[in-house]
Amino acid sequence: MSVKFIGYIGFNNGSETQSAVRSRALDKDYVEAAAKAQEKGGFDRVLIPFGSNSPESQIVAAHAAAITSTLGFLVAHRPGFTQPTVAARQLATLDQLSGGRVAVHIITGGADAEMARDGDTRSVKAERYARTDEYLTILRQEWTAAQPFDHQGKFYDVKQAFSAVKPDNLPVFFGGSSPEAIDVAGRHADVYALWGETLESVQDSVRQVRRSAARYGRNPGFSLSLRPVIADTEEAAWKRAAEIEEQVRENRTAAGLPLTDHRPANAGSLRLLETASANRQDKRLWTGVAALTGAAGNSTGLVGTPEQVADAMLDYVDIGIDHFLIRGFDPLADSILYGRELLPIVRRKVAERTQADLALAG
Ligand SMILES: Cc1cc2nc3c(=O)[nH]c(=O)nc-3n(C[C@H](O)[C@H](O)[C@H](O)COP(=O)(O)O)c2cc1C
């Protein structure tokens, strides 16, 4: 049993508690501090997100890789804008120059408006997943083919493609909860990533993706995104969560943004909004920010002392989660806190479990 921790470098130290509208401004000092702090804090990787108004995730990863030595990178990448053969060589180059520290997170894009900002004005989501499927087939071929290859498909047509630069072992992470996403994830994902739903609905997604992957003889890992709120006492932790919720409500109200009746375009957010039908779910899953913001991303958290949150994480490990993607509402300070207080406890509990399992197995 192993658990990996994925942190986050969101281009600046902003979050929903600082401003209602997410800033994608690039803060070089923050990027460097966040990379070094999460490497020092024992994170295995950091996610570098991507949006149609954001800095380029690969370039941010290249900069962070140059100032770190062991930290891995999970580079969010959206198919459909770069030719897959070119993207494959870009990622392989970054992987080689970073000493094999790169993984890619494939995001197909839930909202048409988001896609249109980069010029994809015609596609619809189901079609985008079909394109992602073909894109990932070519990406892997470019990474692995020993000889030039041809590909003729619905979206791409390449002749005698060949890459002189190959990645060591570049894992493909995959996000998306639409029915089409589950099939493509089954065929291509090394790790399927989802947001922080209840134990029951996460178990449902794990089962669906495992069933889909089994059709292709594959056995993916699973990553769960959370916003842990930890403090010395449970009471103090829930008080902190309530303060965060109040700050987010104030920011959105001041910005004239809705607090309810959200209609997100992507299925993942709709599932998370369902989870947010109650402010608390399971033992300590808190959904307050997801309910206020329309669950546009990683927006639910486990609340309690580090020991309590670690136990709640182990409940997810029991249903197949082997990666946790975590970030706070005070990104840099919280990543340092998680490295000091949370990661060591979870790793200790996982090691104890493994020992106990081995002892049982005799
Ligand atoms: C862990 C995780 C990280 C994600 N990161 C991004 C991101 O950086 N940029 C983005 O546009 N979408 C991101 N997404 C959103 C999904 O990729 C998006 O919901 C999907 O493309 C459409 O999803 P749907 O099938 O659920 O409708 C992320 C999803 C997950 C689970």
Side-chain angles (χ1 to χ4, degrees):
M1 186 192 296
S2 88
V3 167
K4 298 259 185 253
F5 281 95
I6 305 171
Y8 188 79
I9 298 182
F11 312 118
N12 58 64
N13 201 30
S15 87
E16 302 91 331
T17 50
Q18 274 102 42
S19 70
V21 179
R22 175 172 21 198
S23 155
R24 295 278 196 183
L26 185 58
D27 176 342
K28 177 173 176 287
D29 296 339
Y30 162 77
V31 167
E32 295 176 355
K36 290 176 181 161
Q38 290 173 101
E39 178 166 76
K40 188 160 170 265
F43 282 83
D44 300 283
R45 281 185 195 286
V46 284
L47 169 69
I48 301 179
F50 176 88
S52 58
N53 67 344
S54 79
E56 174 39 62
S57 45
Q58 288 191 54
I59 299 174
V60 172
H63 183 73
I67 58 163
T68 54
S69 55
T70 59
L71 184 67
F73 298 91
L74 180 57
V75 179
H77 180 75
R78 182 174 288 158
F81 300 95
T82 311
Q83 285 297 95
T85 50
V86 176
R89 296 196 304 280
Q90 290 171 335
L91 290 162
T93 305
L94 182 57
D95 186 60
Q96 287 286 345
L97 291 176
S98 69
R101 291 190 276 149
V102 172
V104 63
H105 178 56
I106 300 296
I107 49 169
T108 297
D112 296 352
E114 169 76 4
M115 304 302 285
R117 274 190 281 272
D118 274 328
D120 177 354
T121 54
R122 278 193 295 279
S123 72
V124 295
K125 191 163 60 176
E127 189 192 15
R128 287 199 286 272
Y129 275 115
R131 179 174 64 190
T132 294
D133 185 6
E134 203 179 313
Y135 191 96
L136 289 172
T137 300
I138 299 170
L139 208 72
R140 282 208 196 271
Q141 267 186 300
E142 187 81 353
W143 285 341
T144 55
Q147 303 299 328
F149 67 93
D150 296 344
H151 171 97
Q152 188 144 30
K154 179 171 176 210
F155 302 96
Y156 300 103
D157 184 3
V158 297
K159 298 239 175 315
Q160 293 301 288
F162 180 74
S163 175
V165 58
K166 307 281 190 202
D168 288 353
N169 154 39
L170 206 159
V172 171
F173 284 57
F174 188 98
S177 302
S178 304
E180 300 84 2
I182 306 301
D183 179 58
V184 180
R187 204 194 294 264
H188 296 285
D190 297 311
V191 178
Y192 177 76
L194 67 166
W195 292 322
E197 300 169 14
T198 61
L199 288 163
E200 189 189 348
S201 47
V202 168
Q203 187 155 42
D204 169 52
S205 293
V206 169
R207 283 207 190 101
Q208 282 188 49
V209 173
R210 279 190 173 147
R211 206 175 305 126
S212 167
R215 284 203 296 271
Y216 306 104
R218 308 184 80 254
N219 185 20
F222 292 88
S223 172
L224 190 77
S225 295
L226 291 165
R227 315 286 290 273
V229 178
I230 55 176
D232 295 345
T233 67
E234 174 157 14
E235 194 196 353
W238 281 107
K239 183 167 173 295
R240 170 99 178 96
E243 286 161 1
I244 291 167
E245 219 172 298
E246 193 42 40
Q247 190 59 59
V248 171
R249 182 179 287 109
E250 273 174 31
N251 292 349
R252 292 185 69 82
T253 306
L257 291 173
L259 301 175
T260 57
D261 299 330
H262 301 284
R263 303 256 181 288
N266 60 55
S269 296
L270 288 170
R271 287 180 65 101
L272 212 52
L273 269 182
E274 231 170 84
T275 304
S277 56
N279 186 272
R280 279 194 203 189
Q281 295 272 15
D282 298 338
K283 278 192 211 128
R284 54 189 68 265
L285 182 65
W286 165 61
T287 67
V289 170
L292 288 169
T293 61
N298 179 3
S299 49
T300 58
L302 295 173
V303 179
T305 63
E307 197 75 27
Q308 290 170 330
V309 168
D311 284 334
M313 285 179 157
L314 270 283
D315 293 341
Y316 284 106
V317 171
D318 291 339
I319 59 173
I321 299 298
D322 52 17
H323 293 73
F324 286 101
L325 199 167
I326 58 175
R327 64 184 165 105
F329 291 91
D330 190 351
L332 183 56
D334 285 337
S335 68
I336 293 168
L337 179 69
Y338 298 154
R340 197 179 58 234
E341 307 280 347
L342 186 58
L343 272 57
I345 296 179
V346 178
R347 290 196 167 119
R348 171 174 54 77
K349 286 178 183 284
V350 168
E352 285 164 2
R353 283 267 183 100
T354 310
Q355 285 310 317
D357 294 350
L358 288 173
L360 267 180

